[in-house]
Amino acid sequence: MSVTTIIFFLAVIIGTMAITYSAAQQTGTTRDFYAAGNRLNGLQNGIAIAGDYMSAASFLGIAGTIAMYGFDGFVYAIGFFVSYLIILFLVAEPLHNLGRYTLADAIAVRFDSLWLRGVVACTTLLITIFYMLAQLVGAGALIHYLLGVRYDTAVLIVGSLMTFYVVFGGMVATSWVQIIKAILLLTGTLILSLIVFARFDWSFSEMFSHVSTITPLQEQFLQPGNQLHDPLETISLHLALILGTAGLPHIISRLFTVKDAKTTRNSIYTATWVIGAFYLMTIFLGFGASTFVGYEALKNVGFGGNLTVTLLADALGGEFLMAYIAAVAFATILAVVTGLVLSASSAFAHDVYSHLIRRGVASEKEQVTMAKLSSVAVGVISIWLAIGAEKMNVAILVALTFAVAASSNLPLLLFTLYWKRFTVRGAICGVLTGLTASVVLVFLGPTVMHPVTGLIRAEPLFPLTNPGLVSIPLGFLGAVLGTLLDRPDPDAERKYQRVLFQALTGIRVPPAKKTEQESA
C-alpha cells in the first residue's frame, strides 16, 4: 500500500460522490431516475454505453487471458466488439421506439401480459446478478492486492459504493460516472499501449515475433487452442459473446436515455468506435504483460490473471503509473456495477412492483422509493455471491452471463420484432427454456463441477465451459414450439402491424378497441 495509490483511489471515490450529489438535484421523477430524463445526446450516450460495456472483464480479465494464452484471449475481445453489429442492425432503433425504461416495456407494446412481464423482469434480475459477480470479483482482487484490504472487505466497500450511487443519483449519476470512467480508461490504456509499443521500437513484427519466443507456449502463443482446446468450445463462446450483448438488460436500458431513434443510432455508432479502439489496445496490454511482467509472475500472483494490467503498469512506470491504472480499473468497476444495480432495481420497481403488484397505479414517488430499496437488496445479494467466487477469472464469468442473455432474451426480442405468428405463450416458453438450459448447463459444466477446483467436486456432466452452443438454439426452439403449439391469436395481424409501425417510426399508436361483435 502506498500514499499515491490511496490518493488516486480517494480521488475516484470523491469525484464520483460529487457527481452523484449533483445528479441527485436533477432526479425527481421516474423518467429522471430510470432514463436520465431522455436528455443525453448521441455522443454522451455512446461514450456512456462504452463505459458501461468496457468492464472489469475487458480491462482486467481479457488482458490477463491474452498474456497467458495468447490468441485465445483475444477471442473474447473479438466477440465483445462484433456483438454491437447485432445491436445496430437489429434491435437498437426498434427497441428505443417501443420501450420507455426496461426491456419488458418494449415487449409489452405487443404482449400486454403480466405473466410475461414478470418472467422478463426475473430474467433481468438474474442476468444482472451474474454480470455483477464478475465486476465485484475483479474489484475485490484489485483492492486486496493494492491496499492490503481483505478480499471480502474490498467487495463490501465496492458494493456499498455502487448502491450509494444508484440510490441517490439514478441514471443521471450512472451515465456521467460511466462517461468519465470511459475517458479515463481509454487514456490509461493508450498510455500503457504506447509505452509497450515504444519498447518494441514501434514495430508490430518485432512485437509479435518477440512474444512468440518468451512464453512457455512459444510459437503456439499466436495460434488458437491454448485455452480453448475444443473447437466446439470456441464456437459456443463466440455465439454467446456475439449474440449476448443484445440481451443484456443494462445495455438495453441505455437505449432509452435519448430522445429519438436517430440519436440512438448515433449512440451505437459512437460506442462501436470507442469499444473497437479499446479492444485493439488489449493486444498491447497482453503482449506487454507477457514480456515485461513474465508468464510465471502472472501465473504465481493468482486471482485468475485479473491483476495483469496493474502489474504491467508497475513494471513499465513504477508506483505512480500503477496507482493511476489501478484507480482507473477501480472507476471502471464502479461505473459498470452502478449501471447493473440500476438495471436490476428498475426491473423490480417498474415491472414487478408497479405493474404486477400495484397493477399500474403506483405513484412516481412509490416507484422511485421501491427502486432504491431494491437497489440495496441487489447489492447485498451480489456481495454475498462475489465473496464465494474469488478465484474465478472475470472474463469467464462474463462469458457465462452472455450465454444466459443470448439464450433467454434474444429469442424474445427478435421474434417480438420480426415474427407475426409469435404468441405470449411462445414468448414465455422461449425465455424460460433458454434461461433454464443456460443456468442448468453452467452448473453441470466444468466451471462449477470439477474434481479439484469446482464448487461441486465431481466430474462435469456437461463438457463445455460456455453452454451457448446448446442453450441458445434451445431458447429459440422453445419460443418456436411454444408458439406453434399455441392457438393463434385472431387479432395477431393487427397487433403486429401496430408494433411494426411504432418500431419503425416511433409514433405510439394506442391499441384498437374491440367491436361489440369481437367482444362477443
Side-chain angles (χ1 to χ4, degrees):
M1 181 170 61
S2 68
V3 175
T4 306
T5 303
I6 294 175
I7 291 174
F8 273 118
F9 270 69
L10 288 177
V12 169
I13 294 173
I14 294 172
T16 49
M17 283 186 171
I19 292 172
T20 303
Y21 176 79
S22 175
Q25 317 305 314
Q26 308 173 46
T27 306
T29 66
T30 52
R31 193 160 70 99
D32 293 330
F33 189 89
Y34 295 137
N38 307 120
R39 292 189 295 267
L40 297 181
N41 60 40
L43 178 62
Q44 292 168 342
N45 196 43
I47 297 175
I49 290 173
D52 209 355
Y53 196 66
M54 297 184 301
S55 61
S58 303
F59 194 47
L60 303 176
I62 289 178
T65 308
I66 292 176
M68 292 191 288
Y69 301 107
F71 180 89
D72 282 1
F74 194 59
V75 166
Y76 290 92
I78 295 171
F80 288 147
F81 174 61
V82 173
S83 65
Y84 269 80
L85 298 179
I86 303 294
I87 297 178
L88 178 63
F89 291 126
L90 295 179
V91 301
E93 293 181 54
L95 267 186
H96 170 83
N97 289 335
L98 292 177
R100 292 180 62 205
Y101 306 132
T102 65
L103 170 61
D105 279 341
I107 304 300
V109 174
R110 181 170 181 183
F111 302 120
D112 189 17
S113 166
L114 293 180
W115 279 104
L116 179 56
R117 184 181 281 271
V119 167
V120 173
C122 291
T123 304
T124 295
L125 291 170
L126 186 61
I127 292 172
T128 301
I129 290 174
F130 264 122
Y131 201 28
M132 205 176 308
L133 273 178
Q135 315 309 317
L136 291 177
V137 168
L142 182 72
I143 297 175
H144 171 76
Y145 176 78
L146 294 173
L147 301 182
V149 179
R150 282 168 49 97
Y151 171 83
D152 52 356
T153 304
V155 171
L156 181 61
I157 291 172
V158 176
S160 301
L161 285 172
M162 72 185 185
T163 305
F164 171 82
Y165 299 147
V166 173
V167 168
F168 292 99
M171 182 59 86
V172 178
T174 299
S175 298
W176 282 105
V177 167
Q178 288 164 348
I179 290 170
I180 294 173
K181 162 255 170 159
I183 295 171
L184 291 174
L185 181 60
L186 286 173
T187 303
T189 306
L190 180 61
I191 291 171
L192 276 179
S193 299
L194 290 176
I195 294 175
V196 169
F197 202 26
R199 296 291 180 93
F200 291 107
D201 296 324
W202 310 100
S203 171
F204 285 105
S205 61
E206 182 176 338
M207 181 175 69
F208 275 79
S209 59
H210 183 75
V211 295
S212 66
T213 60
I214 62 168
T215 73
L217 298 172
Q218 297 294 304
E219 292 184 359
Q220 184 60 30
F221 185 78
L222 300 178
Q223 305 297 322
N226 300 318
Q227 183 191 37
L228 304 172
H229 306 291
D230 186 350
L232 292 179
E233 185 77 70
T234 305
I235 296 172
S236 186
L237 175 64
H238 272 298
L239 281 175
L241 297 182
I242 293 173
L243 300 179
T245 303
L248 292 177
H250 68 293
I251 297 298
I252 291 173
S253 65
R254 295 227 59 91
L255 302 177
F256 307 132
T257 59
V258 294
K259 61 182 180 179
D260 54 34
K262 180 181 178 182
T263 311
T264 303
R265 183 169 63 252
N266 291 337
S267 299
I268 301 301
Y269 285 155
T270 301
T272 303
W273 281 104
V274 172
I275 291 167
F278 170 77
Y279 282 129
L280 185 62
M281 290 188 287
T282 58
I283 299 176
F284 296 96
L285 302 183
F287 286 6
S290 296
T291 302
F292 304 112
V293 179
Y295 183 88
E296 290 301 323
L298 291 172
K299 186 176 180 180
N300 293 335
V301 78
F303 297 107
N306 297 326
L307 297 176
T308 296
V309 180
T310 54
L311 294 175
L312 175 62
D314 188 28
L316 296 178
E319 179 184 305
F320 184 85
L321 184 58
M322 184 185 72
Y324 172 74
I325 293 299
V328 170
F330 182 57
T332 293
I333 294 166
L334 285 179
V336 175
V337 294
T338 301
L340 291 166
V341 171
L342 181 60
S343 176
S345 63
S346 299
F348 183 84
H350 182 66
D351 297 323
V352 177
Y353 178 77
S354 179
H355 285 85
L356 271 68
I357 297 176
R358 297 283 286 139
R359 302 288 177 168
V361 297
S363 66
E364 288 200 350
K365 184 178 180 180
E366 282 183 84
Q367 286 193 59
V368 173
T369 300
M370 186 54 61
K372 293 179 178 181
L373 293 176
S374 59
S375 299
V376 176
V378 170
V380 170
I381 294 172
S382 301
I383 291 169
W384 175 66
L385 291 175
I387 290 174
E390 177 180 353
K391 300 298 182 181
M392 298 185 72
N393 185 287
V394 292
I396 295 175
L397 284 171
V398 170
L400 298 178
T401 306
F402 276 61
V404 176
S407 304
S408 57
N409 283 347
L410 188 63
L412 173 67
L413 271 173
L414 294 183
F415 286 154
T416 297
L417 293 172
Y418 302 110
W419 190 17
K420 185 190 305 183
R421 173 73 168 78
F422 198 38
T423 66
V424 173
R425 289 185 182 178
I428 294 175
C429 287
V431 173
L432 293 181
T433 302
L435 176 63
T436 303
S438 53
V439 172
V440 169
L441 293 178
V442 166
F443 277 91
L444 297 181
T447 302
V448 176
M449 297 184 68
H450 192 278
V452 180
T453 61
L455 296 176
I456 301 175
R457 300 298 174 87
E459 291 291 338
L461 301 178
F462 181 72
L464 301 179
T465 301
N466 193 291
L469 185 63
V470 176
S471 63
I472 295 173
L474 284 178
F476 279 93
L477 181 62
V480 171
L481 291 179
T483 296
L484 296 181
L485 295 176
D486 190 17
R487 184 172 61 184
D489 183 354
D491 200 30
E493 173 74 25
R494 182 165 58 186
K495 289 181 180 178
Y496 180 71
Q497 293 301 326
R498 178 171 59 87
V499 169
L500 185 62
F501 179 78
Q502 182 172 325
L504 294 176
T505 66
I507 300 174
R508 298 183 182 274
V509 181
K513 294 182 179 180
K514 291 184 177 181
T515 63
E516 293 183 4
Q517 183 178 358
E518 289 175 325
S519 300

